[in-house]
Amino acid sequence: TVQLPSDEMKGRIIGREGRNIRAFEQITGVNILIDDTPESVLLSSFDPVRREIARLTLVDLVADGRIHPVRIEEVYERSERRITERIDRAAEDALLEVGITDLDPDLIPILGSLAYRTSYGQNVLRHLVESAHLAGVMAAELGLDVASCKRAAFLHDIGKALTHEIEGPHALIGAELLRRHGESEDVVHAVEAHHNEVEPHTVEAVLTQAADAISGSRPGARRESLEAYVERMETLEHLAIAHE
């Protein structure tokens, strides 16, 4: 959602005979949904990075007040450069935090894009950093290779950056991506097995599953899904009805 200073701005975003909104959607690849909600519009896209570039573009256009196709293109290109820089910085900060220094440079923008992806409200890149720390602690307790376990847990959800482009489970997409970029078979296996699409047969794989589960299930990490909420309410309702 992008907040607008006034409802009059919606007309300027649409433009004469819809030329501005058409240009915006064509340039950014993101849909603008304009409804009755006062002083706001909705941006819709399966690609979270593209959506963030579009959000930044629209915020800048609204602040500037000049909205026409040529201006939209200029602001979009500037926003794209800013987001690319933020993505690289987010990936480098995360790698520094978990102590990985030898990741294939081609994976950095893919990894950094996870800073704009969430899973049940939990930021995926922060989830990976958290999982890596948890796996490292458990590996140290068990006398295992800490670096290898941390690496597997840190990379386990990298496939989520590509699920809007490639069909299939994110675990298998991520494993194939890492295999192509020279990651060890231990790390690749831990990634492909973290949701049991492949049977886990190494300690690293089991630790990756455990770290993923702990990070995702800690209180406050994720929003409850609608289905789980409805199920819980129905259970409470049945309990209440069972009594006079």
Side-chain angles (χ1 to χ4, degrees):
T1 303
V2 175
Q3 298 302 319
L4 305 176
S6 67
D7 267 357
E8 177 260 338
M9 186 59 75
K10 288 182 181 178
R12 290 163 75 178
I13 290 167
I14 294 166
R16 187 177 296 147
E17 296 173 356
R19 71 174 191 152
N20 288 349
I21 194 168
R22 276 200 307 276
F24 186 93
E25 291 184 340
Q26 198 174 349
I27 290 163
T28 63
V30 172
N31 293 329
I32 299 187
L33 308 177
I34 296 177
D35 57 17
D36 299 334
T37 311
E39 296 180 4
S40 73
V41 294
L42 199 67
L43 296 177
S44 174
S45 170
F46 283 111
D47 184 335
V49 173
R50 187 176 282 179
R51 191 175 60 224
E52 181 61 16
I53 295 169
R55 187 192 69 80
L56 209 58
T57 302
L58 189 58
V59 166
D60 284 359
L61 286 167
V62 167
D64 182 48
R66 291 175 294 159
I67 303 176
H68 53 80
V70 175
R71 182 76 185 140
I72 292 167
E73 203 160 350
E74 285 171 9
V75 176
Y76 175 76
E77 284 169 7
R78 189 176 69 205
S79 300
E80 197 173 25
R81 287 194 298 273
R82 280 164 66 189
I83 293 296
T84 302
E85 285 168 13
R86 286 182 194 177
I87 281 171
D88 288 346
R89 196 180 314 124
E92 284 158 11
D93 288 349
L95 287 164
L96 192 66
E97 198 172 334
V98 296
I100 295 173
T101 55
D102 58 347
L103 193 73
D104 186 324
D106 290 345
L107 291 175
I108 285 177
I110 297 170
L111 189 66
S113 70
L114 292 171
Y116 295 101
R117 169 76 195 254
T118 59
S119 181
Y120 299 105
Q122 184 180 31
N123 183 288
V124 175
L125 189 58
R126 294 312 308 161
H127 165 62
L128 293 184
V129 169
E130 209 169 83
S131 298
H133 288 316
L134 288 162
V137 169
M138 290 188 283
E141 293 274 355
L142 295 165
L144 302 170
D145 181 349
V146 172
S148 176
C149 291
K150 280 182 82 171
R151 194 180 188 99
F154 180 68
L155 294 171
H156 79 267
D157 271 347
I158 195 167
K160 283 187 175 178
L162 303 172
T163 49
H164 56 279
E165 296 172 10
I166 304 168
E167 284 187 18
H170 70 268
L172 300 183
I173 293 169
E176 187 50 43
L177 175 72
L178 295 173
R179 193 176 274 121
R180 286 202 311 272
H181 286 84
E183 285 296 322
S184 72
E185 204 48 46
D186 279 347
V187 169
V188 169
H189 171 67
V191 171
E192 69 185 359
H194 82 270
H195 282 313
N196 290 317
E197 271 97 6
V198 174
E199 191 67 34
H201 58 70
T202 65
V203 186
E204 287 91 346
V206 176
L207 270 193
T208 298
Q209 286 185 331
D212 179 29
I214 295 167
S215 170
S217 63
R218 66 173 174 76
R222 297 186 172 184
R223 277 199 309 266
E224 195 172 24
S225 72
L226 183 62
E227 292 83 3
Y229 174 72
V230 170
E231 202 175 300
R232 192 157 59 86
M233 294 306 289
E234 282 175 350
T235 307
L236 287 168
E237 194 179 344
H238 292 317
L239 283 169
I241 291 167
H243 295 275
E244 288 295 333

